[in-house]
Amino acid sequence: MPKAEAETARDSLWATRPLGAGPDVSASPAARLIWPTSQPLQAPRLRPGRDLPAAATAMAQENTALSPGPEEQPRRRGRQRYVEKDGRCNVQQGNVRETYRYLTDLFTTLVDLQWRLSLLFFVLAYALTWLFFGAIWWLIAYGRGDLEHLEDTAWTPCVNNLNGFVAAFLFSIETETTIGYGHRVITDQCPEGIVLLLLQAILGSMVNAFMVGCMFVKISQPNKRAATLVFSSHAVVSLRDGRLCLMFRVGDLRSSHIVEASIRAKLIRSRQTLEGEFIPLHQTDLSVGFETGDDRLFLVSPLVISHEIDAASPFWEASRRALERDDFEIVVILEGMVEATGMTCQARSSYLVDEVLWGHRFTSVLTLEDGFYEVDYASFHQTFEVPTPSCSARELAEAAARLDAHLYWSIPSRLDEKVEEEGLGEGAGEEAGADKEQNGCLPPVESESKV
């Protein structure tokens, strides 16, 4: 159909119609499938439940002719992402006055620091501890007068060969790290030194445990494991088993798998309540198979995650044109345990309105080779167009229900036809028997009894 004729057909659906009424259904065959008419549909002999996907495909082809071309797409507005494509949440905490709360969980605060700050704090923790205890060792030697009797062989110092602050600092390092070179040794004539030695050994062990624990947790964090969990660059909307579905693809680049993997999807969209309250970035769950268990994944090869647009879906009444004019963000979350470490890993991504392709399907990436399956990640993000109706899922379901009801009432089943044929045969036989009795072909019962 030429473009000008398609526009004329589309505009004629709504021409001279009262407010709240449907389009002029006599203008287009596609409208007759979507809107009820006063005249019965001249439907072909289809099998309900089997040929409905074919009918939906035919409607999709007709709607494709009426859909606007690429040059007629509405101008899309830029939107600030709530979650970036790499999974980073685009939210910053401002005007936090109760900063003391970060100190109550100092371990998590240190782990969450950037690497350069973590390394700086790691170095400062040890250096300041060594300097602190080195200064105390120097004060003990200075207070006892050990620095004034360096050449006196009869004098028993607190620490042998401690002749200044540098020597005290080195002795502090040897004590805390338990190196023990043997040149500087504490004597038994210094009780305050013995107490300080015990205190430094205990505090040094605590500093070692705390800092080494922070660095170990920071190094073993599974955040980098999420970098090898990939999401498709676009989400698609197309038919699956005669129903509209929103789909996206996930994959794992590593050979070590994610254990107990599960997927979730959230719709981020601002809304206003009936009372006039404005809720920014309202979160709504998108069902991806929680009721049936399809949200639990065996992520060995890339999988296509499907959200069926049914009556419980927020996209139930969204047509192609309405979806393109909407403003929302779909956040997808993949969680699971890393097989190598057993730690929980979470990967996130998001899709804006511009990244949802209506009437597309993902290209297959799995092929069967000689003795194994091969995944071609070069085609991981590729899609191709398929015939898809431009109407909403609700309109598609209503059209399928009307078609099913029309087939039920207008097309007799084979069983009814067989019953009618048998009924006609029995009626003809009874009429023939009566004619024979009237013509004297069969003797009456009384005459038979007399004979």
Side-chain angles (χ1 to χ4, degrees), residues 171-391:
F171 180 72
S172 174
I173 296 176
E174 295 176 14
T175 302
E176 188 166 336
T177 58
T178 64
I179 294 177
Y181 289 114
H183 184 64
R184 278 172 288 270
V185 176
I186 188 173
T187 62
D188 56 357
Q189 302 298 323
C190 183
E192 61 271 27
I194 296 175
V195 174
L196 182 60
L197 178 64
L198 295 176
L199 182 62
Q200 185 175 4
I202 295 174
L203 292 180
S205 299
M206 296 176 61
V207 171
N208 287 333
F210 188 81
M211 297 309 302
V212 172
C214 287
M215 297 302 294
F216 175 78
V217 171
K218 192 170 183 64
I219 292 173
S220 60
Q221 273 186 322
N223 296 340
K224 298 303 181 182
R225 179 64 177 89
T228 54
L229 298 174
V230 292
F231 297 86
S232 58
S233 58
H234 292 82
V236 298
V237 177
S238 61
L239 289 173
R240 261 195 177 184
D241 298 327
R243 299 181 180 181
L244 284 177
C245 295
L246 173 70
M247 294 171 284
F248 58 93
R249 184 150 60 185
V250 297
D252 189 2
L253 301 180
R254 289 188 178 274
S255 57
S256 59
H257 309 306
I258 296 294
V259 182
E260 295 292 335
S262 61
I263 190 73
R264 291 182 294 150
K266 292 279 188 179
L267 175 65
I268 309 297
R269 179 170 55 184
S270 301
R271 74 179 188 93
Q272 190 172 6
T273 63
L274 298 177
E275 295 77 14
E277 178 187 4
F278 180 74
I279 304 178
L281 302 178
H282 178 70
Q283 300 184 11
T284 306
D285 281 331
L286 295 179
S287 176
V288 289
F290 177 77
E291 296 81 4
T292 59
D294 292 337
D295 62 328
R296 294 184 289 273
L297 310 178
F298 182 51
L299 197 58
V300 178
S301 61
L303 300 176
V304 176
I305 310 301
S306 175
H307 163 67
E308 182 179 332
I309 304 179
D310 52 10
S313 172
F315 301 115
W316 174 242
E317 299 182 355
S319 62
R320 177 176 183 175
R321 186 179 294 273
L323 191 71
E324 292 172 349
R325 293 177 178 177
D326 204 348
D327 188 12
F328 62 85
E329 181 177 355
I330 300 174
V331 177
V332 293
I333 304 169
L334 176 63
E335 294 180 330
M337 291 188 300
V338 181
E339 187 179 29
T341 62
M343 303 183 69
T344 303
C345 172
Q346 184 182 94
R348 298 180 293 266
S349 186
S350 67
Y351 302 98
L352 296 179
V353 180
D354 300 346
E355 297 166 345
V356 179
L357 304 178
W358 190 287
H360 283 246
R361 190 177 297 165
F362 287 107
T363 305
S364 178
V365 296
L366 195 63
T367 57
L368 178 60
E369 302 295 335
D370 188 10
F372 62 92
Y373 293 95
E374 183 178 0
V375 178
D376 181 17
Y377 277 98
S379 305
F380 182 81
H381 302 284
Q382 294 180 3
T383 62
F384 61 95
E385 295 187 11
V386 292
T388 304
S390 300
C391 62

